Amino acid sequence: PIGANTMNRLSEAGLRDEFMRHVGPGQTAVPMDWVRSTAREQLDRMRMSGQPADLLSEWANPVIFAVARRLLGLPEADDEVFVEMVEKDLCMGDYSTADRLANLEHLQRYMRPYLDRPREEPAGMLDDLVAMIHDGETHHPCDVSRGLHLQRVLSDVLAAA
C-alpha cells in the first residue's frame, strides 16, 4: 500500500517518471560501491563497540537513511536532523500526535529553504524535481490541492526502501 500510494501521489503531480529515473536501475546518485562501503563501515562501527548489537537500529536503518539522504541530495551534515524527522514521521518510536504535527512543521521549515536555495548543479532527486517545477513542467511538490505532500512522499519512499 505504501508503494502504490507514493506512486499515485507522484503521478498526480507529474513526477512519477522523474522519480523512477532516480530510483531505477540506471540511477547514478548512489553507486553500488558507495552502498557497499557505507554498509561495511557501519558493520565495522558495530563490531568495534564490542557490545551486542541490534542489526535494525545499528546497521540497517543507518544504511537506509544514508542511501535515502544521498538519493534525495540532502547534505550529509544534516543526517541527524533528517533521521529524527523521518523516524518521527514513520512512528518509529512512541511519539504523540502533537509530536508528529510539530515534526511536520519542522520538516516543512527545513525543506522550504533547502528547496528554494540557489543551486549551480543539481545535487539529487529533490533538486531535479525543483528544476522541473521551475521550468513549469509540473506543480510545486508542496501543492496541497494536488494531493502531493513532500513530507508524505519522503516518508513513503523511505518506508518502501
Side-chain angles (χ1 to χ4, degrees):
I2 289 172
N5 202 13
T6 300
M7 286 298 117
N8 287 338
R9 289 183 181 140
L10 290 166
S11 295
E12 288 172 6
L15 301 172
R16 185 183 186 284
D17 290 344
E18 187 67 13
F19 174 81
M20 292 307 295
R21 184 176 75 77
H22 281 277
V23 299
Q27 69 83 21
T28 58
V30 187
M32 283 308 299
D33 290 346
W34 181 87
V35 175
R36 285 185 197 100
S37 171
T38 300
R40 278 190 213 105
E41 288 170 14
Q42 195 62 35
L43 281 173
D44 290 344
R45 277 189 214 99
M46 285 174 46
R47 203 174 11 247
M48 293 170 116
S49 75
Q51 308 247 344
D54 176 358
L55 282 176
L56 180 63
S57 66
E58 295 180 46
W59 182 75
N61 284 347
V63 172
I64 289 168
F65 283 124
V67 168
R69 179 199 40 80
R70 183 162 174 157
L71 178 73
L72 293 170
L74 297 173
E76 191 172 344
D78 291 352
D79 268 355
E80 285 184 34
V81 72
F82 175 64
V83 169
E84 179 184 346
M85 288 185 291
V86 172
E87 284 180 344
K88 283 183 180 176
D89 184 61
L90 295 177
C91 293
M92 297 171 91
D94 189 21
Y95 301 108
S96 68
T97 301
D99 288 338
R100 294 190 71 223
L101 289 173
N103 185 58
L104 174 57
E105 290 173 9
H106 181 222
L107 181 58
Q108 289 171 340
R109 281 191 312 274
Y110 169 82
M111 288 306 249
R112 178 61 64 190
Y114 178 77
L115 293 174
D116 290 341
R117 80 191 191 293
R119 57 185 55 73
E120 291 181 22
E121 292 291 325
M125 179 170 56
L126 291 178
D127 282 354
D128 287 346
L129 296 179
V130 168
M132 288 177 67
I133 292 159
H134 286 287
D135 294 343
E137 296 176 33
T138 189
H139 296 276
H140 195 284
C142 294
D143 183 354
V144 175
S145 67
R146 296 283 294 169
L148 179 69
H149 306 276
L150 182 57
Q151 175 265 345
R152 275 279 23 118
V153 170
L154 290 174
S155 303
D156 291 348
V157 169
L158 287 170

